Amino acid sequence: MKRAAERPCVQNVKEGGLIKESMRTMSRELVKLGVPVKNVSEAVHSVADGLSIAVTGDISTRSVGRLTLEGGIAAKLQLVHEIENAASLTLSGDGTTHKHINYESRHIALQVPDYRATIPSAEFYPWTDLAVRLVGISSAPNHTSQEQMKGWKDFVDEAYGLWNSSPAGKRKAIDYHNFYLKSLAMGTDHANDQKKLKKLFQDTKRFCDREVRGERALLMLAPTELIHVVCQLTEKKIADAGGQGAWDALQATEQARRNECLHQDLLQEYGERAYNALPPAQQKEVDFFVWGGCCMHKDLNAHKGGNARMMAYWSSNNIVGPTLLMNKDNDAAAALGKSAARTRAEDVSSAGGVKLTSLMGSLFHHRDDKKGQQESTAIFFESQVGYTISFPDTSNTRYQSHSEAAAEVIVHLPVYIRFLDFIRNKKESRAFNHMEANIWKALHDIPTLTELCVLALYGQAITHPYMRQVRGANRQTSNLLELGPLHKKVKAHLRTLIKHPELLYGPEATYSTGSMDGQLWDCPEAVYAVQALAGGLPHIHGTLVAFLEGALETWERFSTEFSEDGEIANTSDIQRHRAWMPTTNDHNEGALGSLRVGKRKAPNMTLETYNARKMYKHNDTRAFVETQLTHPEDHAFLRRLAREIGSDSRSEQADTDAQLVEGKLEKDRVQEQKQSDRAAVISAVQCQLDEDEILKSNLTVKEIELQLEWHRRHEDLGGLVPKKKDLPRKQEKLDALIAAVNRYNTHLSTVSHQPNSSHK
């Protein structure tokens, strides 16, 4: 017995020449946990040795890469499976640029099965709470609405094509129309291109709905009626082609294209008839598709709107504002330059609380961990206050970082002043560098400290209470479409604070009336510090009111989807429940941020491999594979397709870039040809230089414009002829032509009277 227990267990990596499924799963799990691909096999052997298991064989780096791609293929199949079984879904997306390449991140939110539940039958799985699934990240030539819409269509075509070509699709085919028909809402940021994207997607959804209804309607036709419709279509396509002979002369591909267009037109016609036959309430359900903006972007833009109004407060009231914090070059120009150079240096330089928190972020929490005073800051604070601090990350783009940084500075103002003095005295030169000198100057400037106090108070009164609602404990189930009352509350509280700003900084200020939700301040020390400083800040009242007014105006502009006459306000409880959306766009923001980090760590990794890793991990694809892809042919399909895909997705990006460049060059060639043709037309113009003759000729608008263009191209006087857009009326064009003729004749007369002159 003892000898048997001591005998090591033996596991083979391969079985029948193929890596066993258990080993494939383990490899994908190790990659998911962050083990480098080249170290997976070594990690397997190391763990096995610790468990007294003998593993025979290795998993090559190339095999691990293919196994990762298998996980990505399975993740795409999983998305189609879950969309088909869900009652509805919502969409979200965002974009960024990395090293001159545009990237688009996409997620969907829907209710998914709980594959890990203990179940009596493999045919039934209980539903989980709503989940957000990563659709993937793709590259694009640009960030236009059309390209973003194309990205969604490409995903649908690829995923549903993949499913229907797989063994699972052979067992049960799935119609791609369902993706569009089940999509009920879209969450993005607030840029105009996103609202246009919503319109494009809504149009596509409407097209798909009419297409499906049209197919059903045609199937319901009696055979004789269907034959009559087909005959009419045949007659129409032949007539449009120019007769039977012309139709027969068309290539087969062109005939097929025209047949498909006629078929689509027919489906749309019958689909529209079927739609119009529905009751109005049902039509509204069919067309339901709403848009919502990310709550984090709402608060971010409210900060920007409030800060802009606060910065304008000083000059609009003829009050000396925060000291300018010029960079080194502008400071030198202002000190040594002439008045024009000094004025320009001052105009392009910034000042105020946000500028100060940006500089302090660069010094105390630099985005590059090789720069800045991060370690020194932690050591100094621990010696001074008994604990370390991490300065808010204003050096990167982080939500609410400036209001948090303002609160941090106000609370520890004396410590930061001592720390700067410590930094200076630690140097051999005993002198500040330019950035440190700017920070020192600003920390002793009353208007700048006033703006810091305002930023800190706004964060405590509005931002943190708002974040507790949209990013709190219930964020996984909070529905953006249910937040209309919250945004009304935000604006109502801002109006109250505008009337009574002392609720935030007065001696009687308390969280019960100052904080939007009546809960404890997120950082009570910041409020107490502001109250202690308020007596020495003569403009705290005016700047705070200005900030609140600017923030309120921005909240009004960025919460229009919740207006009383808006789409969301007119939805039912059931509709809002079915169209659940996350309150923020964090999933896409995080995915794009992770892509940047991943590109730094593994710059040669293709986007296909990156998506395979992230989708497999984020979407819990392992559970799907183990419960849904249970047939041997399913795994064979994954293996075959992974070999075909390989890792050559970079060539697709190269092809896309080449097509983009060729398209731009073609536009240039077309533009050059247009200019050449236009120049030929202008050169052929018989220029009329007699004012009386021009007035008698009753020239048309086109003729006048040609005459004007001739004068514009004259090398000496063309700059004096107004531009075409500045002459909207015929009489204005005619007056400009007369003036040009008189200038030309005067110039010609002057030149001809000069000795040795010649005029060409």
Side-chain angles (χ1 to χ4, degrees):
M1 291 289 291
K2 183 177 180 180
R3 290 179 181 176
E6 292 177 349
R7 187 179 303 129
C9 176
V10 178
Q11 287 287 342
N12 295 318
V13 169
K14 295 183 179 180
E15 188 174 60
L18 295 174
I19 299 174
K20 294 193 295 187
E21 287 303 323
S22 60
M23 290 292 178
R24 305 178 94 87
T25 300
M26 181 169 59
S27 297
R28 286 191 287 264
E29 290 296 305
L30 289 172
V31 172
K32 184 176 79 172
L33 293 172
V35 176
V37 171
K38 64 181 181 179
N39 296 338
V40 166
S41 185
E42 184 179 351
V44 170
H45 284 279
S46 296
V47 173
D49 289 344
L51 298 174
S52 298
I53 299 174
V55 176
T56 59
D58 293 303
I59 307 175
S60 68
T61 300
R62 184 178 184 183
S63 294
V64 175
R66 285 182 175 174
L67 300 181
T68 302
L69 290 175
E70 290 177 17
I73 298 166
K76 294 174 183 177
L77 297 176
Q78 176 188 4
L79 288 174
V80 177
H81 170 79
E82 291 178 348
I83 292 169
E84 179 66 15
N85 287 282
S88 60
L89 66 136
T90 60
L91 322 172
S92 65
D94 197 13
T96 192
T97 301
H98 181 70
K99 295 185 177 180
H100 305 289
I101 301 293
N102 288 292
Y103 291 100
E104 303 288 340
S105 169
R106 299 177 184 85
H107 284 78
I108 59 174
L110 71 171
Q111 199 170 29
V112 299
D114 184 0
Y115 301 115
R116 300 183 183 279
T118 302
I119 53 174
S121 168
E123 300 299 324
F124 171 77
Y125 291 89
W127 293 104
T128 67
D129 291 331
L130 290 153
V132 178
R133 296 303 202 202
L134 173 62
V135 171
I137 297 176
S138 63
S139 59
N142 53 60
H143 191 59
T144 61
S145 305
Q146 291 80 3
E147 279 297 330
Q148 293 175 63
M149 186 65 230
K150 181 178 179 296
W152 281 108
K153 289 182 176 179
D154 289 345
F155 155 69
V156 172
D157 293 343
E158 179 190 9
Y160 281 81
L162 182 66
W163 174 274
N164 289 323
S165 66
S166 72
K170 305 302 182 188
R171 296 190 293 269
K172 180 187 176 182
I174 297 179
D175 185 359
Y176 77 91
H177 290 87
N178 292 339
F179 172 81
Y180 296 103
L181 301 183
K182 292 183 178 184
S183 298
L184 300 183
M186 176 176 287
T188 63
D189 60 29
H190 298 75
N192 288 330
D193 67 303
Q194 298 303 302
K195 297 174 182 178
K196 184 178 179 181
L197 172 62
K198 181 254 183 182
K199 176 68 167 54
L200 292 175
F201 196 96
Q202 198 167 17
D203 292 342
T204 303
K205 176 180 178 177
R206 184 180 297 111
F207 181 89
C208 289
D209 175 78
R210 305 304 185 268
E211 189 172 54
V212 171
R213 293 180 188 279
E215 289 177 349
R216 293 173 184 168
L218 289 176
L219 290 175
M220 296 294 292
L221 292 178
T224 54
E225 189 176 357
L226 183 59
I227 292 173
H228 177 68
V229 170
V230 172
C231 291
Q232 285 183 322
L233 280 180
T234 303
E235 293 174 0
K236 184 178 186 306
K237 73 179 183 182
I238 292 175
D240 290 345
Q244 185 66 52
W247 172 262
D248 293 338
L250 294 174
Q251 294 184 354
T253 54
E254 177 62 17
Q255 290 182 350
R257 187 191 68 81
R258 296 193 178 198
N259 283 332
E260 179 60 24
C261 290
L262 284 173
H263 181 231
Q264 286 293 336
D265 291 343
L266 183 65
L267 292 178
Q268 291 296 312
E269 177 185 347
Y270 274 80
E272 195 65 33
R273 291 182 191 177
Y275 170 82
N276 292 332
L278 297 174
Q282 194 170 347
Q283 290 181 352
K284 188 176 179 181
E285 285 290 332
V286 169
D287 292 337
F288 181 81
F289 191 79
V290 297
W291 172 86
C294 169
C295 290
M296 302 301 294
H297 284 88
K298 295 181 192 298
D299 186 66
L300 172 67
N301 284 284
H303 271 84
K304 294 171 67 176
N307 186 61
R309 185 71 64 87
M310 177 174 64
M311 292 174 66
Y313 165 83
W314 305 100
S315 58
S316 62
N317 289 278
N318 296 318
I319 303 172
V320 177
T323 183
L324 282 175
L325 303 176
M326 299 183 183
N327 63 29
K328 194 172 184 178
D329 293 336
N330 287 334
D331 206 0
L336 303 175
K338 297 180 180 180
S339 58
R342 183 184 304 111
T343 301
R344 183 184 180 282
E346 292 173 351
D347 289 343
V348 299
S349 299
S350 302
V354 170
K355 177 64 175 180
L356 174 58
T357 55
S358 298
L359 292 177
M360 295 183 74
S362 296
L363 182 61
F364 302 132
H365 192 159
H366 200 281
R367 69 177 69 187
D368 186 345
D369 57 11
K370 295 182 180 179
K371 300 178 181 179
Q373 297 277 355
Q374 290 91 314
E375 292 296 327
S376 298
T377 304
I379 294 170
F380 185 84
F381 266 78
E382 186 170 19
S383 68
Q384 294 289 310
V385 298
Y387 53 86
T388 62
I389 65 103
S390 177
F391 195 85
D393 195 8
T394 59
S395 182
N396 284 297
T397 302
R398 292 288 185 270
Y399 296 117
Q400 296 84 44
S401 58
H402 288 284
S403 63
E404 291 188 6
E408 166 63 24
V409 175
I410 292 299
V411 170
H412 295 115
L413 180 59
V415 185
Y416 280 105
I417 292 175
R418 292 200 301 272
F419 183 42
L420 283 171
D421 196 40
F422 175 80
I423 292 174
R424 175 173 56 184
N425 293 328
K426 191 177 178 181
K427 298 179 182 180
E428 291 294 332
S429 63
R430 308 293 192 277
F432 288 132
N433 64 29
H434 193 79
M435 178 185 290
E436 293 163 354
N438 268 336
I439 295 173
W440 177 271
K441 178 172 61 174
L443 290 178
H444 292 83
D445 181 60
I446 295 300
T448 302
L449 293 177
T450 301
E451 291 197 0
L452 287 180
C453 290
V454 171
L455 289 167
L457 290 176
Y458 181 84
Q460 297 301 308
I462 299 295
T463 295
H464 286 291
Y466 181 71
M467 289 299 104
R468 283 195 284 266
Q469 297 293 318
V470 302
R471 265 188 163 180
N474 298 322
R475 63 178 300 183
Q476 299 300 331
T477 56
S478 294
N479 186 355
L480 176 63
L481 301 184
E482 302 284 1
L483 297 185
L486 173 63
H487 290 87
K488 287 183 180 179
K489 188 174 181 180
V490 169
K491 291 179 281 189
H493 192 62
L494 281 169
R495 296 187 187 98
T496 299
L497 294 178
I498 290 170
K499 293 180 180 179
H500 306 285
E502 66 278 359
L503 291 174
L504 294 182
Y505 69 86
E508 303 298 325
T510 176
Y511 64 82
S512 59
T513 54
S515 177
M516 183 191 71
D517 59 0
Q519 302 299 313
L520 290 171
W521 304 115
D522 182 76
C523 181
E525 298 85 353
V527 179
Y528 304 152
V530 172
Q531 290 174 328
L533 292 171
L537 307 176
H539 300 293
I540 182 71
H541 182 282
T543 51
L544 177 57
V545 170
F547 190 101
L548 296 172
E549 289 175 342
L552 175 59
E553 181 182 314
T554 310
W555 277 108
E556 295 280 9
R557 196 167 67 251
F558 279 82
S559 59
T560 53
E561 67 265 41
F562 297 110
S563 61
E564 293 183 358
D565 59 346
E567 290 179 321
I568 295 177
N570 293 319
T571 59
S572 65
D573 292 342
I574 295 176
Q575 286 177 322
R576 290 194 297 274
H577 176 74
R578 293 179 63 226
W580 177 84
M581 280 196 295
T583 56
T584 70
N585 206 17
D586 289 356
H587 292 92
N588 290 292
E589 298 272 0
L592 293 171
S594 296
L595 175 67
R596 285 178 175 272
V597 174
K599 287 288 185 181
R600 286 199 294 267
K601 292 182 177 179
N604 292 324
M605 184 189 299
T606 64
L607 201 56
E608 185 76 37
T609 299
Y610 180 84
N611 279 327
R613 291 187 180 190
K614 293 298 181 180
M615 292 172 68
Y616 182 86
K617 178 179 181 179
H618 182 85
N619 298 349
D620 192 20
T621 301
R622 176 182 178 177
F624 169 77
V625 172
E626 292 178 344
T627 58
Q628 300 298 312
L629 302 183
T630 56
H631 296 77
E633 61 267 24
D634 294 329
H635 298 284
F637 174 78
L638 297 180
R639 293 194 297 270
R640 177 177 60 79
L641 203 59
R643 288 195 299 272
E644 293 175 1
I645 293 174
S647 58
D648 201 23
S649 64
R650 192 173 285 108
S651 63
E652 297 179 7
Q653 179 64 44
D655 293 342
T656 300
D657 291 343
Q659 292 173 7
L660 178 64
V661 171
E662 180 58 33
K664 290 184 176 181
L665 292 176
E666 180 61 27
K667 286 183 180 179
D668 292 343
R669 288 191 287 268
V670 171
Q671 185 64 24
E672 289 173 2
Q673 186 61 45
K674 286 183 179 180
Q675 292 175 353
S676 177
D677 294 343
R678 182 67 175 171
V681 171
I682 300 302
S683 298
V685 170
Q686 294 296 321
C687 183
Q688 298 189 27
L689 300 175
D690 188 309
E691 178 180 349
D692 295 333
E693 190 65 28
I694 290 173
L695 295 174
K696 291 178 183 178
S697 300
N698 193 24
L699 299 175
T700 64
V701 170
K702 185 175 181 180
E703 290 171 336
I704 296 174
E705 288 178 345
L706 285 173
Q707 294 287 325
L708 286 171
E709 188 62 32
W710 187 93
H711 285 281
R712 287 191 189 99
R713 290 172 183 257
H714 190 279
E715 61 182 0
D716 296 325
L717 302 172
L720 299 176
V721 181
K723 295 180 179 179
K724 183 177 179 180
K725 67 181 181 64
D726 297 328
L727 302 171
R729 298 180 179 84
K730 181 178 179 179
Q731 187 59 47
E732 293 174 346
K733 298 177 190 292
L734 187 59
D735 293 342
L737 176 60
I738 297 300
V741 168
N742 290 333
R743 284 194 302 272
Y744 182 85
N745 289 331
T746 301
H747 174 71
L748 190 63
S749 176
T750 302
V751 172
S752 64
H753 284 84
Q754 293 178 356
N756 300 323
S757 66
S758 63
H759 181 70
K760 184 176 180 179

